[in-house]
Amino acid sequence: MGFFDKIKKAFTGDEEETKVDETTEKYEKGLEKTRKTFSEKMNELFANFRTVDEDFFDELEEALIGADVGFDTAIKITEELRQEVKLRNVKKSGEVQNAIIEKLVSMYESEGADEQNSLNMVEDGLTVILFVGVNGVGKTTSIGKLAYQLKNNGKKVILAAADTFRAGAIDQLLVWGERSGVEVVRGKAGGDPAAVVYDAIEKAIAEQADVLLVDTAGRLQNKVNLMKELEKIKRVIQREIPEAPQEVLLVLDATTGQNALVQARQFKETTDVTGLVLSKLDGTAKGGIVLAIRNELHLPVKLVGLGEGLDDLEIFEPTEFVYGLFNELLDPTVSEPQE
Ligand code: GDP
Ligand code: MG
């Protein structure tokens, strides 16, 4: 199935039509800033260049880097387009437009072909999900949103307040617990995070909970201690349930652009990260960072934060994402599917 067929299918499929519409709307709204900036740059580019020449490709490369798709990715896409333009003897810049988008999607898909994009959930039994990441990236908020959504889907959820470093962090999780109607297991501020996790696991098993979401501290200034702490938490979990945690999700703040990439690299070196949560996509023009992370780190983005509300967490959908990024740029005269 071609790219445009996929998009068409995603948006016109009869099943779950309203759900699809809602998701699309959220992505479109959440990616507004990225789209505007990127669209502006691209439109400028296409207006300035009537013909496709070397200067055009230089500018294109710059525009892609500006959208934070990553340096290597920008170079790679531009290089492939150069070849294609030569091969197909394309002269007008407008004809290149859809090819760029098609390239971005296919690159995302091929780079992630062997990765599990969905959340790894146990069918019958307890799923443990550990949230890691530096302070302020959106761990607690993402946990709150996910708890709410899982609960609405009929799951019994328990939260573990294992960010014991600051009293405020525990209180914040309690607030989210109240909001979503989910119980929070906590200890004293300054206490041992692993002890909190132990209590939470015991409770989750005793009460036959479906999902345990573990909030952790994120002091990157003390990297060694942080990693030791995460290891200890994992050991405590595995002593009770050997195949847990099913997911270790690294939360990254999309507004920090390339910095997020640096954090991902550091965590990946020392922790078995299974996937990413990309938060605050609504607050940034740097949404292209998703592509950079995928292409350079090979970590699947599993969830995206598109706002501060309970509903503003979505399962990551590459097609929705790229469509949300580029929908203003798609040239309908070229994308018209042939019957
Ligand atoms: P933590 O330190 O990693 O637990 O980060 P928090 O969950 O406390 O989040 C830090 C700030 O980011 C809070 O003010 C959140 O409201 C905000 N935040 C988190 N996720 C999102 C998101 O998807 N969109 C927006 N706009 N803000 C977010
Ligand atoms: Mg927190």
Side-chain angles (χ1 to χ4, degrees):
M1 207 192 304
F3 171 66
F4 295 108
D5 294 325
K6 261 192 218 159
I7 284 190
K8 221 181 137 208
K9 184 161 176 275
F11 293 97
T12 57
D14 337 289
E15 316 140 46
E16 301 187 328
E17 198 166 336
T18 43
K19 169 98 188 24
V20 168
D21 283 351
E22 267 172 36
T23 308
T24 306
E25 229 169 75
K26 265 191 225 163
Y27 268 94
E28 285 196 1
K29 219 173 135 263
L31 290 173
E32 213 173 328
K33 285 191 187 158
T34 300
R35 185 172 59 244
K36 284 231 168 87
T37 313
F38 191 74
S39 300
E40 258 168 39
K41 274 191 199 149
M42 287 306 208
N43 283 333
E44 228 171 78
L45 181 68
F46 289 118
N48 288 343
F49 290 89
R50 289 286 156 92
T51 54
V52 183
D53 56 16
E54 221 9 72
D55 288 344
F56 170 83
F57 284 114
D58 284 347
E59 294 272 333
L60 173 64
E61 216 165 77
E62 249 171 65
L64 289 171
I65 292 170
D68 259 321
V69 301
F71 189 75
D72 295 345
T73 308
I75 305 274
K76 200 170 155 196
I77 290 173
T78 313
E79 194 42 53
E80 283 179 18
L81 279 171
R82 264 198 195 95
Q83 305 294 340
E84 208 163 300
V85 160
K86 233 185 253 160
L87 208 71
R88 288 205 217 153
N89 198 22
V90 171
K91 298 231 161 57
K92 289 197 205 113
S93 64
E95 291 172 284
V96 183
Q97 206 156 316
N98 291 352
I100 295 171
I101 299 164
E102 225 170 305
K103 273 254 131 48
L104 286 169
V105 176
S106 71
M107 203 179 245
Y108 190 93
E109 286 180 345
S110 63
E111 296 283 342
D114 53 352
E115 289 164 9
Q116 193 192 350
N117 284 297
S118 54
L119 281 180
N120 179 18
M121 304 282 277
V122 177
E123 284 268 327
D124 215 3
L126 179 64
T127 302
V128 182
I129 305 180
L130 209 59
F131 286 74
V132 302
V134 305
N135 270 342
V137 289
K139 290 182 297 296
T140 307
T141 308
S142 301
I143 288 171
K145 293 174 187 169
L146 185 60
Y148 173 75
Q149 294 186 15
L150 288 170
K151 201 197 167 200
N152 276 354
N153 279 312
K155 304 280 184 207
K156 180 168 172 61
V157 183
I158 291 179
L159 308 182
D163 179 358
T164 58
F165 195 58
R166 298 165 298 143
I170 300 171
D171 293 340
Q172 198 192 348
L173 194 69
L174 283 172
V175 170
W176 277 107
E178 260 164 45
R179 250 182 233 165
S180 46
V182 161
E183 228 177 311
V184 181
V185 176
R186 63 183 150 143
K188 276 199 219 84
D192 181 6
V196 176
V197 174
Y198 178 80
D199 289 346
I201 286 260
E202 292 289 286
K203 190 182 178 69
I205 292 171
E207 296 184 5
Q208 294 184 314
D210 299 299
V211 190
L212 172 63
L213 305 176
V214 181
D215 197 8
T216 66
R219 290 152 287 153
L220 202 66
Q221 61 269 35
N222 197 340
K223 205 171 126 193
V224 177
N225 280 352
L226 173 63
M227 299 308 165
K228 273 192 189 149
E229 191 172 292
L230 290 176
E231 276 314 305
K232 191 173 166 196
I233 288 176
K234 266 176 89 175
R235 273 204 310 278
V236 165
I237 293 172
Q238 280 161 354
R239 214 155 44 207
E240 305 306 311
I241 309 170
E243 49 298 339
Q246 278 69 22
E247 293 275 5
V248 178
L249 298 180
L250 173 63
V251 184
L252 297 172
D253 176 346
T255 64
T256 60
Q258 294 297 309
N259 242 334
L261 204 63
V262 174
Q263 286 167 21
R265 258 185 227 123
Q266 290 184 336
F267 269 89
K268 205 187 161 198
E269 273 171 25
T270 43
T271 317
D272 296 323
V273 177
T274 58
L276 301 173
V277 179
L278 202 58
S279 69
K280 311 187 202 181
L281 267 176
D282 55 304
T284 181
K286 297 164 182 270
I289 193 73
V290 173
L291 298 160
I293 288 170
R294 157 53 52 83
N295 296 339
E296 289 173 30
L297 290 173
H298 291 277
L299 282 174
V301 178
K302 301 213 166 177
L303 299 167
V304 288
L306 297 165
E308 286 183 285
L310 278 167
D311 275 320
D312 296 329
L313 186 78
E314 290 284 330
I315 300 280
F316 182 63
E317 303 274 2
T319 313
E320 297 272 359
F321 177 82
V322 179
Y323 183 84
L325 216 50
F326 302 116
N327 67 353
E328 277 168 24
L329 285 170
L330 287 172
D331 186 342
T333 57
V334 185
S335 66
E336 195 76 10
Q338 287 137 18
E339 295 297 329

